[in-house]
Amino acid sequence: MARGPVLGAPRLSEPLRRERRRILHAVHDRIEEVAETAIEVMRTEIPSYALQDERFFDDVREQVLEHYRMQLAALAGDRDIAPEDLVFSRAAAMRRARAGFALEDWISAFRVGRQVLWDALLDCAGTSAEAQQAALCLVTPLMRYVDYASTHAAQAYVEYQQHVVADADRERRDLLDQLLAGVAPTRGPLFAAAQAYGIGPRSPMMAVVAVCVDNVGTGDLTSAEHGYATSASISVAGPWAGRTLVVVRHGEVVTVPVVRAGMNAEDICAHFEAVQRRLARAGTMLSMGISTVARGAAELSRAYAEARAALDLVPSGGGVAALPRLSPFDYLALRADDLARQLVDPRVRALLEEDRRRGDTLAATIRAFAEADLNLRLAADRLRIHHNTAHYRLRRIEERTGRNPRRIADLLELLVALAIRDGAGEGEDGQ
């Protein structure tokens, strides 16, 4: 800001100029009383200020008086306002930001100060028409000063917060890089940061990698368009107490949740699945890969590689691939390439595709029969169908494919074909 606002006396009749000067001098004579009133209102209306001690309010009092004296001198036409005049205010804003006060609290203090000063001006003006008119001519320059000064304060807040955010981002990235190198920090700032996230040399951890899908269904991934929004959403809450390390890097969001006491890998998976769904409803579609548990920092690089590999199992439209929820059989089937799909007997492939279009009743029967250890009656009970219906379905599968589900080798081939089909179909539920 090269110039300050114009606050001096406008062109007024001599009687109005005299009234204006009288009002300003009267307020100046009681300026300390006005400042005390402003401080009391701040205590009452700004909750974070109400919690502070007298040392804090000594600083506030000094700031209020400095602003009031500057405004009164400028309104009287005795001086102009330049950016360098507000260095004291910028320094105070930095102190408030460093102490953790919200920007809205600082701006509320400006609002209170302005209102109390205006009340004092009206009180000193009196009730005559000429005095009221003289007071009204102070409204615009008073607002200009407050706008100008509060803008300077806001800039100081933003500069400080940008500095803090940049430092925090750098610290998180440095911590993640060291953990991925297989070493937990043992001293210094990174050690303190690791402790804040509950990370120790042997802490059980998992790795979660998320990328944003730009256009659902196309598989076009953005690098970091929604990275920080995603990071904030992941950080806000979970089934654990304490903070979680979340880092935006290289077009992906990497999270290192600690498996704390009373938790297991499924708790972590369920939380991130809920995060993915919540963000999807808000319009941010994620693909997430979740690793198995790493037993300490030495295994975290392996967990990160697992989470990256799990992303390959996620459909192009987004979803979650959680390795702790997959059996080795499921994983191998999901990783099947085109050659594996070609090796599936065309009769089996045709039956399963047709069955999917008709509601997957035969697929459900195959799975239930396997899960019941080839006990057809138990499988029928679980499917809530008559055992004769289950028997008919198995016979139909054998007739159409040449595979008898009662033979272990044939049943295994059907299960593999079914898993490959579902993997190739990229699972409607994204799992």
Side-chain angles (χ1 to χ4, degrees):
M1 298 181 186
R3 300 180 54 189
V6 178
L7 303 181
R11 294 186 178 183
L12 301 172
S13 66
E14 187 56 32
L16 284 179
R17 291 176 66 86
R18 283 197 303 270
E19 280 298 301
R20 180 184 172 114
R21 285 196 298 271
R22 180 188 67 78
I23 295 168
L24 293 174
H25 287 156
V27 173
H28 188 273
D29 289 343
R30 49 187 284 199
I31 195 68
E32 292 189 1
E33 175 189 337
V34 177
E36 289 300 327
T37 300
I39 289 172
E40 289 307 311
V41 176
M42 290 176 194
R43 286 183 192 265
T44 302
E45 295 191 2
I46 306 174
S48 62
Y49 276 39
L51 301 173
Q52 305 308 310
D53 57 19
E54 287 307 315
R55 182 178 179 182
F56 170 80
F57 282 106
D58 287 342
D59 185 25
V60 174
R61 184 178 295 105
E62 182 180 335
Q63 296 297 311
V64 171
L65 285 169
E66 188 75 19
H67 278 294
Y68 280 173
R69 290 178 180 132
M70 188 177 296
Q71 288 177 82
L72 293 175
L75 291 170
D78 297 337
R79 62 173 298 177
D80 294 327
I81 301 298
E84 55 268 24
D85 293 322
L86 292 170
V87 169
F88 76 95
S89 181
R90 290 176 61 85
M94 294 287 276
R95 289 197 297 275
R96 302 292 180 268
R98 191 178 300 113
F101 286 89
L103 177 57
E104 54 264 32
D105 290 343
W106 179 242
I107 299 301
S108 292
F110 268 96
R111 175 188 56 77
V112 168
R114 178 203 65 203
Q115 185 61 52
V116 171
L117 180 60
W118 174 243
D119 290 343
L121 289 167
L122 287 179
D123 185 55
C124 290
T127 58
S128 71
E130 197 169 62
Q132 292 289 309
Q133 188 175 352
L136 285 175
C137 75
L138 294 170
V139 173
T140 298
L142 183 62
M143 293 298 296
R144 285 175 181 166
Y145 176 87
V146 172
D147 287 346
Y148 189 69
S150 60
T151 298
H152 266 271
Q155 286 180 334
Y157 257 80
V158 170
E159 288 169 8
Y160 179 81
Q161 289 170 347
Q162 287 175 337
H163 172 74
V164 169
V165 168
D167 278 354
D169 282 348
R170 189 178 305 111
E171 182 180 73
R172 285 193 295 268
R173 286 195 298 270
D174 290 347
L175 175 57
L176 179 62
D177 288 344
Q178 184 162 337
L179 291 171
L180 291 179
V183 180
T186 56
R187 62 180 182 275
L190 290 187
F191 173 67
Q195 285 190 315
Y197 295 118
I199 296 174
R202 296 178 179 82
S203 299
M205 297 172 279
M206 297 168 70
V208 182
V209 177
V211 294
C212 295
V213 180
D214 191 25
N215 297 307
V216 175
T218 67
D220 182 19
L221 302 181
T222 65
S223 60
E225 180 183 355
H226 304 294
Y228 285 98
T230 299
S231 171
S233 182
I234 290 173
S235 299
V236 290
W240 44 79
R243 300 160 60 195
T244 300
L245 178 61
V246 185
V247 180
V248 181
R249 66 195 288 273
H250 308 317
E252 62 188 22
V253 179
V254 181
T255 308
V256 183
V258 174
V259 185
R260 303 175 191 268
M263 296 171 53
N264 56 38
E266 174 55 30
D267 295 324
I268 303 290
C269 296
H271 169 66
F272 282 94
E273 184 178 46
V275 169
Q276 194 274 341
R277 289 176 175 170
R278 182 171 68 249
L279 285 171
R281 288 193 297 270
T284 299
M285 186 61 70
L286 295 180
S287 294
M288 280 188 176
I290 304 178
S291 75
T292 60
V293 177
R295 302 295 172 183
E299 295 185 8
L300 191 61
S301 60
R302 182 264 302 162
Y304 172 73
E306 288 180 359
R308 290 283 306 157
L311 282 176
D312 294 337
L313 308 180
V314 180
S316 59
V320 178
L323 295 186
R325 292 177 168 177
L326 299 179
S327 69
F329 176 88
D330 294 329
Y331 178 78
L332 291 173
L334 288 170
R335 298 283 292 180
D337 57 16
D338 289 339
L339 177 57
R341 297 184 186 98
Q342 289 301 317
L343 292 175
V344 175
D345 188 306
R347 294 176 296 172
V348 174
R349 188 163 57 242
L351 175 70
L352 294 180
E353 290 299 333
E354 177 186 320
D355 183 52
R356 175 152 57 185
R357 292 191 296 270
R358 293 184 175 182
D360 262 351
T361 56
L362 298 182
T365 304
I366 293 170
R367 291 195 180 99
F369 189 51
E371 290 168 1
D373 295 328
L374 280 63
N375 185 323
L376 185 59
R377 186 174 295 276
L378 177 58
D381 290 343
R382 290 176 176 176
L383 291 170
R384 296 183 179 180
I385 60 176
H386 195 277
H387 71 276
N388 287 339
T389 302
H391 179 77
Y392 166 76
R393 290 180 183 178
L394 294 188
R395 189 170 66 249
R396 185 180 173 201
I397 291 168
E398 183 177 4
E399 290 171 353
R400 291 283 304 275
T401 65
R403 269 67 178 180
N404 181 359
R406 291 182 174 81
R407 295 182 63 247
I408 294 297
D410 287 355
L411 178 60
L412 183 59
E413 185 177 346
L414 290 169
L415 289 170
V416 169
L418 186 55
I420 290 176
R421 182 206 69 172
D422 291 345
E426 297 185 336
E428 279 70 32
D429 62 354
Q431 295 304 308

